[in-house]
Amino acid sequence: MMQIEECLKKIGDDIWFTEVDRNNLKIDYRIKEIIYQGNSPIQQIMILDSYDFGPMLVLDDAIQTTSNDGYIYNEMIAHVPLNIHPNPKNVLIIGGGDCGAAREVTKYPNVERIDMVEIDEMVVQTCRKYLPKVSGKLSDPRVNFIFEDGTAFVKEQRDYLYDVVIIDSSDPVGPAVKLFELEFYKDIYSNLREDGLMVCQSESPIFYSEMMVKIHKNLNSLFPIVKTYMATVPTYPGGFWTFTMGSKKYWKPNPEKFDKDTKYINKEILESCFILPKFIEKLLDDN
Amino acid sequence: MMQIEECLKKIGDDIWFTEVDRNNLKIDYRIKEIIYQGNSPIQQIMILDSYDFGPMLVLDDAIQTTSNDGYIYNEMIAHVPLNIHPNPKNVLIIGGGDCGAAREVTKYPNVERIDMVEIDEMVVQTCRKYLPKVSGKLSDPRVNFIFEDGTAFVKEQRDYLYDVVIIDSSDPVGPAVKLFELEFYKDIYSNLREDGLMVCQSESPIFYSEMMVKIHKNLNSLFPIVKTYMATVPTYPGGFWTFTMGSKKYWKPNPEKFDKDTKYINKEILESCFILPKFIEKLLDDN
């Protein structure tokens, strides 16, 4: 992890934030203002107001989401599974501390329970306060905030199961590593109803294709239906981003039913997001 | 334009190349080797071997194409129009000095003539020599290299017209500015057969959406059919990239006919590339 002094630099009158990817690529954003800077027991948290993407959430020097493009990721990780499942009532979100995925889930009136298990309460409080364009200051009564390690939560006994599980993790470094392991997916499987499905963010097919392939393999060993879909996210290095669905029964989008107010996804994208460029298909087929 | 000393920096043992976008965003690539550096009468030309994307063409400090992702742009600008036109025989390429678009066009045996009008001969020679993964060392006898200003070329009298015109320009700064003007598109229209069509790269919908909208408007004032399509290009800032087609007659892709050896586009993408995210649709509809 870089020190805070290294990722934020003053050049002339300007502040620049630098995100480093694998020591081969750096992306520098010009910053209007450091809105918030703090440390939770788990990680360093910053809200930086950038010229291009507005206020953005930075955890341990990695951009997680931004006010101006966060809706792309959040819409894609939430609406695809909730549209494919014909009647989701109980939804579990693991991670998603920026509250953006939960906010999309609240757009479904038939959903009765949204358990949001986030390891770092300070991320949630910070985003509700300083990142309203992403979090919507989330306050829907159906959302139960549970501040706990997601891998521990899915091992606990409950008297209900889930229809849809959304794994909205950060990258597989630090606290999120265990959210990419087979054992965790097995526990997710056990927490799903007999017709349930899960979706996780499955990383960049450009810079982390081994991880994308590993997730696909792990889910293939558990679920009868595994499908990868994609979106383009400007603030994720390489632009391309993938999501992988593991499902016990349903796999078909229902565009005719889609009526949500969104900024990226529409009826057509619910289906076309599963059409992958040849090089991504090849990565998944070869492994 | 930055000076060469500013865009290439030595940090420790490493060389880094920095691309600056609107003074709000910088992208830094770690470089293995400066393969070539020279000046044509028109611009500064570099071939830099990057860790992430292999050898890449840099003109006046802006990345034009790279060995590892150049195929995405070149396939999308060439195969979409050549698949939509039922029988393209005469093809004109304006720009495209890296030879990647022309190389894709040569995959169509029924194409009889490929006029490639590039203002800077040195770009072509440099890419044929140092960028074989993009240019394929292009030497197909159907390709006529014409080293001339594209705006002048389309004003000349010829005894034949084109079925497809591909405008593969750099960004609208310096020599390429005139390739984004209405007058130029009028001349393109006049150079097309009565059922001809053209495609141009139409910039980023994130950072240059006004230009994307302007191109769409200009083409709308000339062609009965105007359609925007998109792809994701990792080395173009923001990831999203758009292309706009102006057509006199044809608009429907023919996926069943597509049989080319490609790395990005496939039968499905020929159609799905026209499905635009809501925010891009809105930008085009509002204007």
Side-chain angles (χ1 to χ4, degrees):
Chain A
M1 196 200 314
M2 297 172 79
Q3 292 307 301
I4 200 163
E5 297 76 26
E6 288 180 45
C7 75
L8 282 171
K9 273 210 182 79
K10 210 160 164 49
I11 303 179
D13 287 338
D14 294 323
I15 303 170
W16 287 84
F17 165 74
T18 301
E19 186 179 56
V20 181
D21 198 281
R22 298 151 303 114
N23 203 32
N24 283 342
L25 184 69
K26 297 181 199 169
I27 307 180
D28 314 284
Y29 297 86
R30 191 155 75 102
I31 300 299
K32 286 181 193 165
E33 189 192 348
I34 299 167
I35 295 177
Y36 175 82
Q37 218 173 341
N39 284 284
S40 77
I42 292 158
Q43 55 205 338
Q44 180 200 87
I45 302 170
M46 292 195 290
I47 304 286
L48 304 177
D49 189 3
S50 64
Y51 279 85
D52 274 349
F53 294 99
M56 50 191 198
L57 171 66
V58 177
L59 299 179
D60 284 347
D61 307 343
I63 295 170
Q64 303 298 313
T65 191
T66 82
S67 297
N68 294 356
D69 78 346
Y71 63 88
I72 300 176
Y73 174 96
N74 287 318
E75 290 181 8
M76 291 304 285
I77 204 165
H79 292 290
V80 174
L82 290 172
N83 176 266
I84 288 177
H85 195 291
N87 189 23
K89 292 202 178 306
N90 289 348
V91 176
L92 169 63
I93 300 171
I94 307 268
D98 59 50
C99 302
R103 183 189 188 190
E104 297 303 319
V105 176
T106 63
K107 293 179 179 172
Y108 290 76
N110 292 342
V111 168
E112 292 166 3
R113 168 194 290 274
I114 304 167
D115 288 346
M116 185 176 139
V117 180
E118 162 61 52
I119 198 169
D120 195 343
E121 179 170 2
M122 215 167 133
V123 171
V124 172
Q125 304 313 353
T126 303
C127 292
R128 283 167 100 178
K129 189 165 179 187
Y130 297 113
L131 213 59
K133 271 187 81 175
V134 176
S135 67
K137 300 187 177 181
L138 186 66
S139 65
D140 190 290
R142 294 171 295 169
V143 180
N144 311 308
F145 290 102
I146 300 157
F147 299 110
E148 185 184 335
D149 180 343
T151 59
F153 180 83
V154 294
K155 288 198 179 301
E156 292 161 20
Q157 288 286 321
R158 263 170 299 282
D159 59 359
Y160 57 92
L161 294 168
Y162 296 99
D163 301 296
V164 169
V165 176
I166 294 170
I167 306 171
D168 178 8
S169 65
S170 46
D171 295 330
V173 287
V177 168
K178 287 182 295 176
L179 303 182
F180 292 83
E181 297 298 329
L182 180 60
E183 193 185 335
F184 174 65
Y185 297 131
K186 280 182 183 165
D187 292 331
I188 296 289
Y189 186 95
S190 308
N191 274 274
L192 282 167
R193 282 204 177 115
E194 72 288 352
D195 62 349
L197 57 88
M198 60 149 279
V199 159
C200 62
Q201 71 90 349
S202 46
E203 297 287 319
S204 162
I206 304 291
F207 298 128
Y208 295 96
S209 61
E210 314 78 27
M211 185 49 76
M212 175 189 76
V213 167
K214 181 187 155 184
I215 292 165
H216 202 267
K217 267 186 181 170
N218 277 341
L219 295 183
N220 247 330
S221 73
L222 298 169
F223 289 90
I225 299 157
V226 178
K227 282 182 168 287
T228 296
Y229 61 97
M230 58 160 281
T232 303
V233 182
T235 50
Y236 291 172
F240 286 102
W241 207 257
T242 67
F243 304 86
T244 304
M245 175 177 78
S247 177
K248 294 185 180 183
K249 184 171 178 185
Y250 309 111
W251 59 273
K252 224 176 126 33
N254 302 290
E256 71 289 351
K257 276 173 48 182
F258 187 73
D259 61 356
K260 303 305 172 205
D261 181 27
T262 51
K263 285 189 273 187
Y264 180 88
I265 199 168
N266 57 23
K267 288 176 197 285
E268 291 77 23
I269 290 176
L270 275 169
E271 299 187 310
S272 69
C273 65
F274 288 97
I275 297 173
L276 304 177
K278 262 194 185 174
F279 77 93
I280 301 182
E281 272 185 346
K282 192 169 162 11
L283 284 166
L284 296 172
D285 288 349
D286 286 358
N287 285 279
Chain B
M1 196 201 314
M2 300 173 77
Q3 291 307 303
I4 199 164
E5 298 76 26
E6 287 180 45
C7 75
L8 281 171
K9 273 210 182 79
K10 211 161 159 60
I11 304 179
D13 287 338
D14 294 323
I15 303 169
W16 287 84
F17 165 74
T18 301
E19 186 179 56
V20 181
D21 198 283
R22 299 152 301 115
N23 204 30
N24 282 342
L25 185 68
K26 297 181 199 170
I27 308 180
D28 315 283
Y29 297 86
R30 190 155 73 100
I31 300 298
K32 286 182 194 166
E33 190 194 345
I34 300 167
I35 295 177
Y36 174 83
Q37 217 174 340
N39 284 284
S40 76
I42 292 158
Q43 55 205 341
Q44 181 201 86
I45 302 170
M46 291 195 290
I47 305 286
L48 304 177
D49 189 4
S50 65
Y51 278 86
D52 274 349
F53 294 99
M56 49 192 201
L57 171 67
V58 177
L59 298 179
D60 283 346
D61 306 344
I63 295 171
Q64 303 297 315
T65 190
T66 82
S67 297
N68 295 356
D69 79 346
Y71 62 88
I72 301 176
Y73 173 95
N74 286 318
E75 290 180 8
M76 291 304 285
I77 204 166
H79 291 290
V80 174
L82 290 172
N83 176 267
I84 288 177
H85 195 291
N87 189 23
K89 291 199 178 308
N90 290 348
V91 176
L92 169 64
I93 300 170
I94 307 269
D98 60 49
C99 302
R103 185 190 185 188
E104 296 304 319
V105 177
T106 64
K107 293 179 179 173
Y108 290 75
N110 293 341
V111 169
E112 292 166 4
R113 169 195 289 274
I114 305 167
D115 289 345
M116 185 177 139
V117 180
E118 162 61 52
I119 198 169
D120 195 342
E121 178 169 4
M122 215 167 133
V123 171
V124 172
Q125 305 314 352
T126 303
C127 292
R128 285 167 100 179
K129 189 164 177 186
Y130 296 113
L131 213 59
K133 272 187 83 175
V134 176
S135 67
K137 300 187 175 179
L138 185 65
S139 65
D140 189 289
R142 294 170 295 169
V143 180
N144 312 307
F145 290 102
I146 300 157
F147 298 112
E148 185 183 334
D149 180 344
T151 59
F153 180 83
V154 294
K155 288 200 179 298
E156 293 161 21
Q157 287 287 319
R158 262 170 300 282
D159 59 0
Y160 58 92
L161 294 168
Y162 295 100
D163 301 295
V164 169
V165 176
I166 294 171
I167 306 170
D168 178 8
S169 65
S170 45
D171 294 331
V173 285
V177 169
K178 288 181 297 177
L179 303 181
F180 292 82
E181 296 299 329
L182 181 60
E183 193 186 337
F184 174 64
Y185 297 131
K186 281 183 182 164
D187 291 329
I188 295 289
Y189 186 94
S190 308
N191 274 272
L192 282 167
R193 284 206 176 112
E194 72 287 352
D195 62 350
L197 58 88
M198 62 148 279
V199 160
C200 62
Q201 71 90 350
S202 47
E203 296 288 317
S204 162
I206 304 292
F207 298 126
Y208 296 96
S209 61
E210 314 78 26
M211 184 50 74
M212 175 188 76
V213 167
K214 180 186 156 187
I215 292 166
H216 201 269
K217 267 188 180 167
N218 277 342
L219 294 184
N220 247 330
S221 73
L222 298 170
F223 289 91
I225 300 158
V226 178
K227 282 183 168 286
T228 296
Y229 61 97
M230 60 160 278
T232 304
V233 182
T235 49
Y236 291 171
F240 286 102
W241 208 256
T242 67
F243 304 85
T244 304
M245 176 177 77
S247 177
K248 295 187 180 182
K249 183 170 178 186
Y250 308 112
W251 58 273
K252 224 175 128 30
N254 302 290
E256 71 289 351
K257 275 174 48 182
F258 188 72
D259 61 357
K260 303 305 173 204
D261 181 27
T262 51
K263 286 189 274 186
Y264 181 88
I265 198 169
N266 58 22
K267 288 176 197 287
E268 291 77 23
I269 290 175
L270 275 169
E271 298 187 311
S272 68
C273 66
F274 288 97
I275 298 172
L276 304 178
K278 261 193 185 174
F279 77 93
I280 301 182
E281 273 185 346
K282 193 170 164 5
L283 283 166
L284 296 173
D285 287 350
D286 284 357
N287 285 280

